[in-house]
Structures are given as C-alpha cells and as structure tokens.
Amino acid sequence: MGRWTTVVGVLISVGTAYLVMQFASIMDYVTALFSFFIAPLFGTVILGMLWKRTSSAGGFWGLLCGTVSSIGMWTWVKIDPTALRYVALRRTPRPWRRICIRRSGRSLSA
C-alpha cells in the first residue's frame, strides 16, 4: 500500500507542476489555492465556535460546498472573463454612495 501511495503522490505532483506552469508566478497559484480553502474554512470555524447547534456533518458539508463553489466560480471566470461582473463587486458608482459622501463632506474622487 505504501508504494502505491508514493506512486500516486508522484503523479499528483507532476500534474500539479504542469498546472502551476499556467500561472504567471508561484504566488498567483498559492493565492488561488488559499482563496479556495480559506473563506469556507473561516465560515466553518466561526459557525462552529459561535453556534451551539453546529454539527460535525454540517461543518463537513459546509466546508465541502464552500470549497466546490469557490473552485467553480474561479473556473467560470477563467473560462469567461466577463463573468467577473457577476462574481465580484461592481465598480460603478451607486446613487446612495453619492448621498453619503455629500453628507460627510468628503470629495467624490475617493
């Protein structure tokens, strides 16, 4: 069993090396990996600490669904870059923002 595990690990390593070649740098790859796992893990940990009714099955499925949805959104944006407008926050000014800025006395350029 140990030898087969080693062979599978080496094959995964080689596949990962080819995957990393598609990124601009190793930091882009590491950032993408962190974005897949950190956000769902944060939600799972916070719910586990602050809500008494959280179960281990709920934590597992929440973490799994969050990770799969993160990878799915990343893949969607990689395939169709125009999908970013649906996934990310929009950069267009909002009417309520102008009202809040005027009342606070700050300039609109910020």
Side-chain angles (χ1 to χ4, degrees):
M1 184 71 176
R3 290 183 184 177
W4 283 109
T5 305
T6 304
V7 169
V8 169
V10 168
L11 291 176
I12 290 173
S13 309
V14 170
T16 303
Y18 282 113
L19 182 67
V20 171
M21 287 173 38
Q22 296 177 2
F23 287 87
S25 70
I26 191 72
M27 285 308 296
D28 289 341
Y29 177 69
V30 170
T31 303
L33 282 180
F34 278 178
S35 70
F36 297 156
F37 298 108
I38 296 299
L41 186 62
F42 176 73
T44 304
V45 168
I46 293 297
L47 279 176
M49 287 190 313
L50 300 178
W51 195 29
K52 290 181 181 180
R53 295 185 59 192
T54 305
S55 65
S56 58
F60 170 76
W61 287 108
L63 185 61
L64 183 66
C65 291
T67 303
V68 168
S69 66
S70 295
I71 293 171
M73 284 189 284
W74 179 81
T75 305
W76 182 30
V77 169
K78 280 294 185 183
I79 292 172
D80 181 19
T82 60
L84 191 60
R85 66 180 164 196
Y86 300 113
V87 175
L89 296 175
R90 59 184 173 167
R91 303 250 333 162
T92 58
R94 296 166 200 80
W96 57 266
R97 183 174 180 264
R98 290 183 181 274
I99 294 168
C100 293
I101 289 174
R102 280 191 198 135
R103 288 186 181 163
S104 69
R106 296 186 327 196
S107 67
L108 287 173
S109 61

